[in-house]
Amino acid sequence: MTGNKKQDGPQFYGRRRGHKLRPNRQALIDDLLPHLRLALPADGGPLNLEAVFASPVSDLWLEVGFGGGEHLAAQAAAHPDIGFIGCEPFVNGVANVLSLIDSGGLTNIRIFNDDVRKLFPVLTDAVFGRIVALFTDPWPKKRHHRRRFISDDTLVQLIRLLKDDGVLRLASDHMGYVNWMLDHLTAKDELIWDARSKQDWGVPPSDWVETRYERKAKAKGNHPAYLCFSRVSRSSA
């Protein structure tokens, strides 16, 4: 029988692997990742995220596409009482964040090393106090815009997963994508853009941690935009 294998879940278009991992990084994938990896429930959910942490957590934050994990690890170190869920299909990025977790002795990060959209169906409503998606692929060609992470479909899920007054943080150095995101986000009655002046989106939040990609973008002369939205309380919506 010939033909393409049926896609299991949503279509993922990004890279899953880069250069060959060094032995110590491969060892982290083999030995540490199994202890930190989020597994999808065999029966389809729901997944109790608080139960995956050894100690009680005061809140849960999600980072989508954490890249090398610099921002994720730094935030986890700064907020040891919060449980962090990091999603990243790129093996090399996962290996990098594992090295940061290992060297920093971090115990409040769990990793879903696949497309975050596969996680959505097993998550309950209003579970995250903060959702972060930094410098996701802008897919600049018009024919590829449907591949962008921010879309009406994903926003429905992000809004569902945010707690009342929870925060959605986005960043990009591609102004076409920034405008795209603003068009989609400001059309949602459940979200309020927190910006009051240009400084509110031209300057990162006070607790910001610069990512590797962000440094490269700035080195090229690009000026990232930082978008922060709050989730409207369900009782007032």
Side-chain angles (χ1 to χ4, degrees), residues 43-127:
D43 61 359
L47 177 61
N48 183 355
L49 289 179
E50 292 188 357
V52 305
F53 295 95
S55 301
V57 294
S58 62
D59 200 0
L60 292 165
W61 292 2
L62 170 70
E63 182 161 343
V64 178
F66 56 71
E70 301 93 350
H71 180 273
L72 176 62
Q75 291 287 359
H79 303 281
D81 60 315
I82 292 175
F84 288 81
I85 306 298
C87 299
E88 177 59 68
F90 187 50
V91 172
N92 301 67
V94 172
N96 195 71
V97 81
L98 288 173
S99 71
L100 297 175
I101 292 171
D102 187 50
S103 62
L106 302 175
T107 61
N108 56 332
I109 296 177
R110 295 296 180 268
I111 295 171
F112 185 67
N113 58 324
D114 207 334
D115 189 332
V116 68
R117 294 174 296 170
K118 292 183 179 180
L119 196 59
F120 289 160
V122 301
L123 297 179
T124 56
D125 295 353
V127 66

Side-chain angles (χ1 to χ4, degrees), residues 17-30 91-92 95-97 99-100 212:
R17 183 176 291 274
H19 57 76
K20 183 178 179 180
L21 296 176
R22 298 193 298 271
N24 63 325
R25 293 294 178 91
Q26 186 61 53
L28 290 170
I29 292 288
D30 296 337
V91 172
N92 301 67
N96 195 71
V97 81
S99 71
L100 297 175
R212 185 182 314 177

Side-chain angles (χ1 to χ4, degrees), residues 7-18:
Q7 175 73 20
D8 182 19
Q11 179 69 49
F12 178 74
Y13 294 98
R15 290 193 303 163
R16 289 189 178 269
R17 183 176 291 274

